[in-house]
Amino acid sequence: THFLITNSGGSDVYTNSSGTSIGTFCQNSTVKLGGENHSWQKGTDDINSVHMFYRIYITGSPSGSFTDLNLTYVSSNNNNGSTDKFWQISSSNNAGGFTTNMIAGLSSGSYTIEYYYRLDGNWGGSLYDNNSGNPTNYTNTFSIIAPPSAPTISISGNLTICSNSSTTLSVPETCPGTITWTKPDATTVD
């Protein structure tokens, strides 16, 4: 069992369905990357490390080398003679949590994250969790959008807002932003 884990300022989002979209993110924001894998072992075989390898490229143009993200051993469970081990990097992981901003430096566009897991064992070999290469490793798509530019609102003459009236200004939810209003006494309100 495996999961791709992303976090863009809220809760961790777990995805284990290759080929789906993991969302739309605002350029220059932070989307942290993590992963999770469960290993099952019997007898004297022992998994002693799990690595998630990933690369991000413009959708439809696979390129670039894979980056190694070492998952942390979290816990194990004895289950009918086998040992189930749990490996993870997430915001709740006490061993350091997320470290990688997966969209750092990306411009607006559609992207694919391609990833697979390598499980290293005490027998000197490795096992691969890679979607059986059908037709590639695990993949998920996402989009980057440019942050909206700050609008300039010009008013000629005087604008009077009467007591008990209101004006609503809003910022799209897809990108963080701030609205600052300067009152006549030169104080500002955010």
Side-chain angles (χ1 to χ4, degrees):
T1 305
H2 75 276
F3 292 95
L4 173 73
I5 305 172
T6 55
N7 186 311
S8 58
S11 300
D12 292 354
V13 177
Y14 289 75
T15 305
N16 71 347
S17 180
S18 186
T20 60
S21 174
I22 57 173
T24 298
F25 308 104
C26 192
Q27 186 179 9
N28 301 324
S29 62
T30 300
V31 180
K32 296 186 176 180
L33 174 65
E36 179 177 307
N37 200 286
H38 298 242
S39 62
W40 292 268
Q41 53 203 38
K42 284 192 173 208
T44 59
D45 291 342
D46 186 23
I47 302 296
N48 46 34
S49 68
V50 175
H51 300 261
M52 176 181 154
F53 292 89
Y54 73 95
R55 65 180 179 171
I56 295 173
Y57 49 82
I58 295 173
T59 298
S61 301
S63 63
S65 59
F66 285 87
T67 300
D68 181 355
L69 190 60
N70 188 19
L71 275 62
T72 302
Y73 168 74
V74 177
S75 64
S76 62
N77 181 24
N78 193 352
N79 187 8
N80 294 324
S82 70
T83 301
D84 304 342
K85 285 188 174 179
F86 177 59
W87 307 80
Q88 184 184 64
I89 291 180
S90 73
S91 64
S92 61
N93 184 330
N94 294 329
F98 290 118
T99 58
T100 303
N101 179 7
M102 66 181 257
I103 67 168
L106 298 180
S107 57
S108 297
S110 297
Y111 291 88
T112 297
I113 179 167
E114 179 180 352
Y115 57 100
Y116 66 93
Y117 297 87
R118 186 187 76 209
L119 294 75
D120 299 326
N122 64 344
W123 62 90
S126 299
L127 300 172
Y128 291 88
D129 180 1
N130 64 354
N131 200 29
S132 300
N134 294 318
T136 62
N137 299 306
Y138 298 112
T139 60
N140 292 96
T141 58
F142 63 95
S143 297
I144 302 291
I145 59 171
S149 58
T152 301
I153 302 171
S154 299
I155 300 172
S156 302
N158 293 325
L159 172 65
T160 302
I161 299 177
C162 300
S163 294
N164 299 322
S165 66
S166 64
T167 301
T168 302
L169 301 173
S170 62
V171 176
E173 289 184 29
T174 55
C175 295
T178 303
I179 297 174
T180 303
W181 183 269
T182 303
K183 299 189 308 184
D185 65 1
T187 59
T188 60
V189 178
D190 289 332

